[in-house]
């Protein structure tokens, strides 16, 4: 069962939509970057063909570190992180659920991933 979701950064320079299972929980991670970001991520990957990103020219900035496999995207204008491309499944996305329309992110249960040990 998949659903169609829409989302955006805070200022709206980055808008996106994606196909995914019903969002019933989230994922948090204790790795160095996630700990500082503090975001509630999707507990599923979105394949590149299942996400549609509409961003203003130059709106998406990308932070990389370590192995440079994961791509941590953020909005150049408002600084919000809407999604990243994962290390575990290169090219595939995890979504910041706080950026998804209609999701009450603070009421979702979440699993904790021990990314610090990867
Ligand atoms: Zn923005």
């Amino acid at each position: 069962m998949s659903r169609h979701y829409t989302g955006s950064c805070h200022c709206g320079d980055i808008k996106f939509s994606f196909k995914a299972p019903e969002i019933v929980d989230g994922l948090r991670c204790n790795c160095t970057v996630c700990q500082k970001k503090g975001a509630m991520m999707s507990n599923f990957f979105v394949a590149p063909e299942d996400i549609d990103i509409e961003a203003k020219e130059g709106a998406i900035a990308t932070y990389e570190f370590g192995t440079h496999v994961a791509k941590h995207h953020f909005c150049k204008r408002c600084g919000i992180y809407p999604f990243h491309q994962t290390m575990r499944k290169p090219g595939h996305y995890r979504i910041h659920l706080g950026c998804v329309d209609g999701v009450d992110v603070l009421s979702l249960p979440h699993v904790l991933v021990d990314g610090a040990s990867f």
Side-chain angles (χ1 to χ4, degrees), residues 72-89:
H72 301 275
H73 303 299
F74 61 97
C75 173
K76 242 182 209 167
R77 187 168 159 216
C78 67
I80 296 298
Y81 144 72
F83 42 70
H84 73 282
Q85 287 167 285
T86 70
M87 186 162 72
R88 291 170 84 190
K89 213 168 176 189

Side-chain angles (χ1 to χ4, degrees), residues 24-115:
V24 291
D25 59 3
L27 174 145
R28 304 193 81 163
C29 171
N30 65 356
C31 84
T32 52
V33 71
C34 288
Q35 188 168 306
K36 295 201 176 196
K37 226 191 277 182
M40 176 80 97
M41 297 171 278
S42 60
N43 193 13
F44 49 76
F45 298 111
V46 177
E49 60 269 26
D50 289 335
I51 185 167
D52 191 31
I53 298 165
E54 251 182 75
K56 278 198 183 158
E57 179 90 35
I60 299 180
T62 301
Y63 175 62
E64 297 173 19
F65 68 99
T67 59
H68 293 261
V69 175
K71 316 268 181 228
H72 301 275
H73 303 299
F74 61 97
C75 173
K76 242 182 209 167
R77 187 168 159 216
C78 67
I80 296 298
Y81 144 72
F83 42 70
H84 73 282
Q85 287 167 285
T86 70
M87 186 162 72
R88 291 170 84 190
K89 213 168 176 189
H92 290 239
Y93 291 81
R94 278 196 201 276
I95 311 294
H96 177 199
L97 298 181
C99 291
V100 178
D101 299 328
V103 172
D104 183 5
V105 70
L106 296 179
S107 71
L108 287 177
H110 68 271
V111 297
L112 180 65
V113 165
D114 186 19

